[in-house]
Amino acid sequence: MATIKDVAKLAGVGVGTVSRYLSGNASISAKSGEKVAAAMAELNYRPNSMARSLSSKRSNIVGLWVPSFSGSFHRKMLQTIERELRKRDKHIILANAEDAKNDAERIACLDYLIERDCDGILMSCPELSVIELAKIEARFPKVVFINRDIEDLLEKTFCANHYQGGRLAAEHLIELGHKEIAVVTGRMTAQDALSRHQGFIERLAEEGITVHPDLIESGGYSFQQGRDATLRLLDKDPSFTAIFCGNDNSAMAAISTLNEQGLQVGKQVSVIGYDDIDLPEYTSPAMTSVHIPLEEISTNACHQILNMCYGESLPVRTRFEPTLSVRGSTHSIK
């Protein structure tokens, strides 16, 4: 196997010149660069990534911390970030807090990434407090937070306007004439879930519509939690005409459960989901959902990490507005 010394000998240059050529961080003459490139091709030389990392003091690895790998939301985030990093010959290490029971265990996932010499870290951390995130940023400055809105870290937080997302869902149901409305929330300890819930409830209140506390159920974000929450609503009061769900998984479970119970979604009961990622148009009926531009959010967050860690000057936007994708799961009762 060819070594850097073999390349230098064949090119007729010093080892230091080859090293500078490989690092891309120091100037060498065009003629020397051509000789090195030709020698590398002739010898089929592949530079050792670990050696390059030691030379540049960079690992070319970015960490991604998410609360779970399940569900379309974080899968889409991962796909988008990995694609953006790969374009620039950077790699990704993953950590998730699926089984974490408290903040200490969640932060241990961050330690896992730091200990693996990540140049920067992207975090989707809905349940960590602003104080904890500030501590993380002070300890590891090359961090970016996805799906969080923190006033003191505006350039490092990338998110949609979830309050407006809740209002869009409410306005749609108001326009359709619904007044008896149920809600299946996400985890209300998370900033995004709380914001969308507040936007939804407050927009309804502006029209004099109140959601009875008995018609608000916590559904988490899984299919099973959405199903269980829908069944609880039906047991208490089957007379509601619409359900707003905190994410698409729980909304899909609501559609399936309502159909099983003999209620026609889109004709007798309206269902609105949230996120609008991949699956809503394939439910039966196709599901109305608040669209969060997650690919744009993830791409911009990744650009910021690349700018911070590798001196790039990629364009960055931090705040994004949701839209509403109207499909067959909602109907007018006017």
Side-chain angles (χ1 to χ4, degrees), residues 248-320:
D248 288 339
N249 286 353
S250 55
M252 284 187 278
I255 290 174
S256 173
T257 304
L258 290 166
N259 285 334
E260 286 175 4
Q261 298 299 311
L263 294 169
Q264 292 182 291
V265 175
K267 293 183 179 179
Q268 292 174 281
V269 183
S270 289
V271 176
I272 299 183
Y274 198 94
D275 291 333
D276 195 32
I277 297 171
D278 294 340
L279 298 177
E281 60 187 305
Y282 298 107
T283 61
S284 182
M287 185 172 68
T288 296
S289 184
V290 176
H291 179 78
I292 300 302
L294 183 59
E295 283 195 65
E296 292 181 64
I297 294 170
S298 301
T299 297
N300 278 268
C302 191
H303 284 180
Q304 185 70 303
I305 277 289
L306 290 165
N307 291 346
M308 290 165 56
C309 296
Y310 306 109
E312 301 214 28
S313 300
L314 298 166
V316 168
R317 184 157 58 99
T318 64
R319 299 298 181 269
F320 301 83

Side-chain angles (χ1 to χ4, degrees), residues 15-156:
V15 170
T17 299
V18 178
S19 179
R20 289 194 297 275
Y21 175 85
L22 293 174
S23 72
N25 294 324
S27 61
I28 62 172
S29 70
K31 185 176 181 180
S32 293
E34 290 172 2
K35 289 181 178 180
V36 172
M40 288 174 59
E42 184 174 337
L43 295 171
N44 195 26
Y45 174 74
R46 294 177 62 85
N48 184 289
S49 60
M50 184 64 73
R52 282 189 295 173
S53 296
L54 291 171
S55 174
S56 65
K57 297 182 180 180
R58 294 172 178 166
S59 67
N60 288 323
I61 294 172
V62 171
L64 174 62
W65 185 106
V66 294
S68 171
F69 291 143
S70 63
S72 55
F73 188 88
H74 288 107
R75 183 172 63 251
K76 176 67 71 175
M77 182 185 298
L78 169 59
Q79 290 172 340
T80 302
I81 290 170
E82 195 277 334
R83 181 180 65 239
E84 289 300 312
L85 291 175
R86 188 160 23 93
K87 287 178 184 176
R88 295 161 179 86
D89 199 26
K90 304 294 184 279
H91 308 285
I92 192 168
I93 292 181
L94 306 175
N96 84 91
E98 184 83 55
D99 299 321
K101 299 178 179 62
N102 52 52
D103 283 355
E105 293 183 5
R106 294 183 184 100
I107 292 170
C109 296
L110 173 70
D111 295 334
Y112 171 85
L113 296 175
I114 293 174
E115 289 164 4
R116 276 146 188 81
D117 297 321
C118 293
D119 295 324
I121 295 174
L122 296 131
M123 295 184 68
S124 175
C125 41
E127 294 193 3
L128 285 174
S129 70
V130 172
I131 292 174
E132 289 297 338
L133 296 182
K135 289 179 181 178
I136 288 170
E137 195 275 337
R139 173 186 169 201
F140 191 85
K142 290 185 178 179
V143 64
V144 160
F145 303 108
I146 302 176
N147 207 30
R148 292 301 298 264
D149 187 359
I150 304 173
E151 186 174 349
D152 292 336
L153 295 172
L154 288 178
E155 299 304 313
K156 292 187 176 184

Side-chain angles (χ1 to χ4, degrees), residues 134-198:
K135 289 179 181 178
I136 288 170
E137 195 275 337
R139 173 186 169 201
F140 191 85
K142 290 185 178 179
V143 64
V144 160
F145 303 108
I146 302 176
N147 207 30
R148 292 301 298 264
D149 187 359
I150 304 173
E151 186 174 349
D152 292 336
L153 295 172
L154 288 178
E155 299 304 313
K156 292 187 176 184
T157 52
F158 293 75
C159 64
N161 184 346
H162 292 294
Y163 180 83
Q164 178 61 18
R167 289 181 66 87
L168 287 176
E171 286 171 2
H172 183 56
L173 294 181
I174 291 167
E175 290 169 359
L176 295 175
H178 293 277
K179 294 183 179 179
E180 299 298 322
I181 299 169
V183 180
V184 176
T185 72
R187 290 189 293 271
M188 297 297 279
T189 53
Q191 184 189 54
D192 59 336
L194 183 60
S195 293
R196 79 179 62 119
H197 183 71
Q198 288 176 333

